[in-house]
């Protein structure tokens, strides 16, 4: 089963990369772009059929390694064939 | 003094740290490979700077899950002393040995230059206790993710518990870029709640010879050794 994990910075955590992108977008004429936040996507393949088990495993992976929960939020999506 | 320097794939300040400690103690620290579970009783363990595991995922994230971290945690629970420098600080944070987070430098630039640090009033610890509060040390930094971030509650806690050890400080009133990374309240280094673990972004091992441009790093490390051996 394919799992997509989106990791993003929590509100209030400075995102200098997002800020730099925002300024660049504004310079290109996209003046209405008032904020940019960046994040990352992690795609996993789990050899398991139970959706509940996959979700449980993915959550454990996020908490133990994939996400720094001090500054990041995450969202787990299971990709159905 | 028995000391050890931990080496991960991608550590690159291990040798400099070994040279610095040998210069002070006359004894060569042991090298501890990251896969080791058993490490001997040591007076000081240093986690040096570098780019462990290529900084993949987050700086220090993969190193913090290496087998040696369990041994380091045991060493700390026995009251052992640990110094983490730069990537070593990031690893201590990722391993949840020290609180908070080290995020990307505010100006998005890798910063490599000398900084001035001020010794803060903090709990008794083997790193700074021999130095004067307010004393300044010129020690270089070299990092991309050294912007210390802490929630308001954590910051309050760190202050109340006297765990903010080092801060970047201005040399002149009009100096603007004295803080190289935009860290909260100019924090450069913090202590664990028992004072035995220090994480700091600046590299003391890079200021141990006049040819380096200064010897304040030697002063810092010498004091640290003296405090440990008593």
């Amino acid at each position: 089963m394919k799992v997509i994990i989106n990791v993003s910075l929590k509100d209030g955590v400075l995102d200098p990369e997002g800020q730099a992108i925002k300024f660049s977008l504004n310079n290109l004429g996209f003046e209405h772009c008032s904020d940019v936040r960046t994040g990352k996507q992690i795609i996993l393949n789990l050899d398991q059929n139970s959706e509940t088990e996959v979700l449980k495993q993915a959550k454990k992976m996020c908490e133990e390694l994939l996400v720094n929960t001090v500054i990041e939020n995450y969202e787990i999506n299971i990709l159905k064939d | 003094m028995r000391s050890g320097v931990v080496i991960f794939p991608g550590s690159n300040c291990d040798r400099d740290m070994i040279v610095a400690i040998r210069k002070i103690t006359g004894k060569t620290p042991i090298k501890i490979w990251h896969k080791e579970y058993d490490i001997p009783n040591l007076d000081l363990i240093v986690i040096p700077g570098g780019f462990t595991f290529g900084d993949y995922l987050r700086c220090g994230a993969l190193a913090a899950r290496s087998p040696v971290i369990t041994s380091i945690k045991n060493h700390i629970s026995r009251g052992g002393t640990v110094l983490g420098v730069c990537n070593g600080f990031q690893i201590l944070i990722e391993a949840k040995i020290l609180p908070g987070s080290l995020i990307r430098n505010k100006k998005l630039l890798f910063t490599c230059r000398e900084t001035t640090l001020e010794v803060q009033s903090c709990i008794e610890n083997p790193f700074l206790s021999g130095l004067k509060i307010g004393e300044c040390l010129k020690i270089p930094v070299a990092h991309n993710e050294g912007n210390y971030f802490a929630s308001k509650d954590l910051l309050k806690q760190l202050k109340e518990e006297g765990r903010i050890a080092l801060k970047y400080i201005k040399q002149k009133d009009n100096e603007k870029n004295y803080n190289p990374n935009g860290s909260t309240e100019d924090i450069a280094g913090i202590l664990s709640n028992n004072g035995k673990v220090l994480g700091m972004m600046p590299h003391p091992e890079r200021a141990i010879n006049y040819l380096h441009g200064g010897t304040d790093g030697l002063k810092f490390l010498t004091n640290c050794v003296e405090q440990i051996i008593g």
Side-chain angles (χ1 to χ4, degrees):
Chain A
M1 218 174 266
K2 209 169 221 179
V3 181
I4 298 182
I5 296 165
N6 287 316
V7 184
S8 57
L9 284 171
K10 282 185 178 170
D11 285 345
V13 177
L14 177 78
D15 181 359
E17 192 176 356
Q19 285 295 301
I21 295 169
K22 175 193 143 351
F23 288 126
S24 200
L25 285 172
N26 293 156
N27 286 339
L28 284 171
F30 301 102
E31 298 102 0
H32 301 298
C33 177
S34 57
D35 194 22
V36 176
R37 305 287 285 170
T38 58
K40 68 183 137 199
Q41 188 173 67
I42 300 166
I43 303 166
L44 307 169
N45 235 332
L46 298 184
D47 296 333
Q48 247 155 356
N49 297 322
S50 148
E51 211 170 286
T52 350
E53 188 56 28
V54 165
L55 265 178
K56 201 176 133 198
Q57 286 291 321
K59 189 167 189 291
K60 199 156 179 276
M61 288 177 188
C62 286
E63 297 286 336
E64 284 182 22
L65 174 65
L66 302 178
V67 180
N68 177 352
T69 51
V70 177
I71 52 165
E72 293 169 331
N73 287 325
Y74 63 92
E75 185 190 275
I76 302 168
N77 295 305
I78 294 178
L79 203 68
K80 291 183 182 120
D81 299 325
Chain B
M1 189 183 80
R2 294 157 305 164
S3 60
V5 175
V6 189
I7 304 175
F8 298 89
S11 295
N12 66 6
C13 300
D14 42 326
R15 182 197 165 273
D16 286 2
M17 189 55 82
I18 289 169
V19 169
I21 295 174
R22 186 168 57 215
K23 187 174 168 133
I24 298 160
T25 63
K27 280 187 190 163
T28 306
I30 62 161
K31 291 178 183 172
I32 307 164
W33 184 235
H34 73 113
K35 285 188 176 170
E36 285 179 40
Y37 283 100
D38 288 320
I39 46 178
N41 263 335
L42 296 167
D43 300 310
L44 171 68
I45 293 178
V46 182
I47 311 180
F51 298 86
T52 51
F53 297 92
D55 278 351
Y56 288 171
L57 194 63
R58 297 177 305 275
C59 301
L62 303 180
R65 277 81 184 172
S66 286
V68 75
I69 297 298
T70 311
S71 320
I72 292 173
K73 282 183 175 167
N74 291 337
H75 167 83
I76 294 168
S77 63
R78 291 193 300 263
T81 305
V82 177
L83 170 65
V85 171
C86 196
N87 191 222
F89 185 12
Q90 294 166 340
I91 294 168
L92 288 170
I93 283 198
E94 275 289 342
K96 297 190 168 67
I97 292 168
L98 292 175
S101 194
L102 286 159
I103 61 172
R104 193 86 189 267
N105 292 353
K106 198 173 180 181
K107 290 191 172 169
L108 285 172
L109 292 172
F110 182 95
T111 310
C112 179
R113 63 173 169 89
E114 188 179 85
T115 58
T116 308
L117 306 172
E118 186 188 50
V119 175
Q120 301 297 301
S121 159
C122 48
I123 45 164
E124 199 181 316
N125 68 83
F127 307 97
L128 302 163
S129 291
L131 302 171
K132 288 191 205 86
I133 295 162
E135 190 168 342
C136 289
L137 299 167
K138 283 182 182 292
I139 297 180
V141 294
H143 59 251
N144 200 26
E145 282 87 3
N147 180 348
Y148 186 76
F149 172 87
S151 65
K152 274 185 188 156
D153 290 345
L154 173 60
L155 207 61
K156 190 166 165 265
Q157 187 194 347
L158 290 176
K159 280 184 200 166
E160 282 171 2
E161 294 177 359
R163 290 167 58 188
I164 299 172
L166 294 163
K167 281 189 179 187
Y168 303 107
I169 190 173
K170 291 180 193 187
Q171 286 295 87
K172 290 177 204 145
D173 278 346
N174 58 356
E175 195 178 338
K176 279 184 183 159
N177 296 322
Y178 63 97
N179 177 339
N181 49 41
S183 62
T184 311
E185 298 208 11
D186 303 325
I187 291 173
I190 59 162
L191 293 158
S192 59
N193 52 14
N194 71 354
K196 292 293 188 77
V197 182
L198 172 68
M200 62 192 284
M201 287 315 294
H203 286 268
E205 79 284 4
R206 292 193 188 179
I208 62 157
N209 187 307
Y210 286 106
L211 292 172
H212 290 163
T215 56
D216 282 359
L218 185 68
K219 183 178 175 182
F220 170 85
L221 290 170
T222 306
N223 173 65
C224 176
V225 168
E226 282 167 359
Q227 296 295 318
I228 292 170
I229 58 180

